[in-house]
Amino acid sequence: MAAQLLNSLGRLGLGLAVGASVVNSALYNVDGGARAVIFDRFTGIKSNVVGEGTHFLIPWVQRAIIYDIRSRPRNVSVITGSKDLQNVNITLRILFRPIPSELPKLYTSLGEDYDERVLPSITNEILKAVVAQFDAGELITQREVVSLQVSEELTARAAQFGLVLDDISLTHLTFGREFTAAVEMKQVAQQEAERARFLVEKAEQTKKASVISAEGDSQAAELLAKAFGDCGEGLVELRRLEAAEDIAALLSKSRNVAYLPPGQQTLLSLPQM
């Protein structure tokens, strides 16, 4: 009797374990920021998209494919040519995410690694097409225009695959060694030209200053000659007195001269004109 009871309990426990395993395999979770599509062995990918939470499926018959629908970053580097045939190395940083309603189509056409299949190819295509419209110099001076055009065209291209690009930015832009060396030589030449222009302007200003100074001396000489002609002996006498006053002031400050000796020949005793 006890053996039968133990046998029944064993079968019950086995049944419960199998049932728990079946129930556990029939449940799956969709975390926050994720969506799921269901693959059915008999009907294929179902068109409905499963949201967040715990859901049921038919074990062995159905399988849940989980997609992250939050924005993720990706860097894509491209080497292409500009309008003037200069090699340009561009790195583009993209924030992308899938459109939830397009997930069944996305899985059918591209699979789970859709970003590896789509983003490098369309980024290469758009960057080469846009960069070829600008010269190397314009890529530097009109960087915002280039970035805006790349963003518009790449966003439209990605939408065809069920992707949303939240942000697109040019993070790296360099040129070949030949172009870089040519730019450096041009900058040096411009600096030398500016220095030469400064020296020429300085020489011109010095020349003008010399001319103005000579003209001033000439005018002063003319005015002095005119004054001599107009005033005659009076102006000479005034100058003689001024010179004598200066000499007397200097001699009075000298330690070796206490007074002016009588009969000392100075400008004060110059013969009258």
Side-chain angles (χ1 to χ4, degrees):
M1 190 70 179
Q4 292 179 355
L5 180 59
L6 290 175
N7 191 21
S8 299
L9 290 175
R11 288 197 298 269
L12 179 61
L14 180 61
L16 290 174
V18 171
S21 176
V22 171
V23 171
N24 185 54
S25 62
L27 297 176
Y28 67 96
N29 293 322
V30 179
D31 296 330
R35 295 292 185 272
V37 294
I38 302 300
F39 171 75
D40 191 290
R41 292 181 181 272
F42 301 105
T43 61
I45 293 293
K46 293 184 175 297
S47 59
N48 62 309
V49 178
V50 182
E52 301 168 1
T54 301
H55 306 276
F56 292 93
L57 53 72
I58 303 173
W60 186 82
V61 176
Q62 295 179 336
R63 178 170 61 91
I65 299 100
I66 309 297
Y67 278 95
D68 188 352
I69 62 169
R70 293 170 294 188
S71 293
R72 290 182 291 160
R74 182 182 179 92
N75 292 332
V76 180
S77 298
V78 177
I79 298 178
T80 182
S82 62
K83 187 178 180 180
D84 54 351
L85 304 180
Q86 297 293 335
N87 288 329
V88 185
N89 187 356
I90 298 181
T91 299
L92 205 63
R93 186 177 185 273
I94 304 172
L95 281 178
F96 70 96
R97 57 185 172 86
I99 301 174
S101 60
E102 297 291 326
L103 287 177
K105 179 182 177 182
L106 193 66
Y107 179 78
T108 302
S109 58
L110 298 173
E112 297 183 57
D113 57 343
Y114 61 91
D115 55 323
E116 294 287 345
R117 298 173 182 268
V118 172
L119 292 178
S121 61
I122 64 175
T123 302
N124 270 277
E125 174 189 353
I126 298 300
L127 277 178
K128 289 183 177 181
V130 173
V131 171
Q133 302 175 22
F134 297 88
D135 293 337
E138 294 174 343
L139 292 174
I140 299 175
T141 59
Q142 303 181 25
R143 182 164 179 165
E144 293 183 359
V145 177
V146 176
S147 179
L148 179 61
Q149 186 171 345
V150 170
S151 178
E152 292 176 350
E153 296 188 14
L154 192 58
T155 299
R157 192 79 173 88
Q160 300 176 3
F161 296 92
L163 301 180
V164 175
L165 305 184
D166 294 321
D167 182 69
I168 301 171
S169 57
L170 293 174
T171 59
H172 186 70
L173 178 64
T174 58
F175 301 91
R177 288 180 297 177
E178 295 81 5
F179 179 78
T180 304
V183 171
E184 291 177 354
M185 292 178 62
K186 182 179 179 181
Q187 291 177 344
V188 171
Q190 289 177 345
Q191 292 174 356
E192 291 293 335
E194 290 293 333
R195 183 173 180 275
R197 187 180 298 110
F198 169 75
L199 293 176
V200 170
E201 292 178 355
K202 182 179 179 181
E204 290 290 336
Q205 295 298 326
T206 304
K207 180 180 177 182
K208 290 180 180 179
S210 300
V211 171
I212 293 173
S213 178
E215 290 177 350
D217 292 342
S218 176
Q219 291 178 1
E222 291 178 359
L223 292 174
L224 189 60
K226 183 178 180 181
F228 274 112
D230 293 343
C231 299
E233 296 180 358
L235 180 61
V236 174
E237 182 65 19
L238 177 62
R239 293 289 185 265
R240 188 180 67 82
L241 292 175
E242 291 176 349
E245 183 181 1
D246 293 338
I247 293 173
L250 290 174
L251 291 176
S252 66
K253 296 177 182 179
S254 176
R255 296 179 179 179
N256 299 324
V257 178
Y259 66 94
L260 294 177
Q264 181 69 34
Q265 297 295 323
T266 65
L267 287 178
L268 290 172
S269 60
L270 287 175
Q272 299 293 326
M273 295 288 294

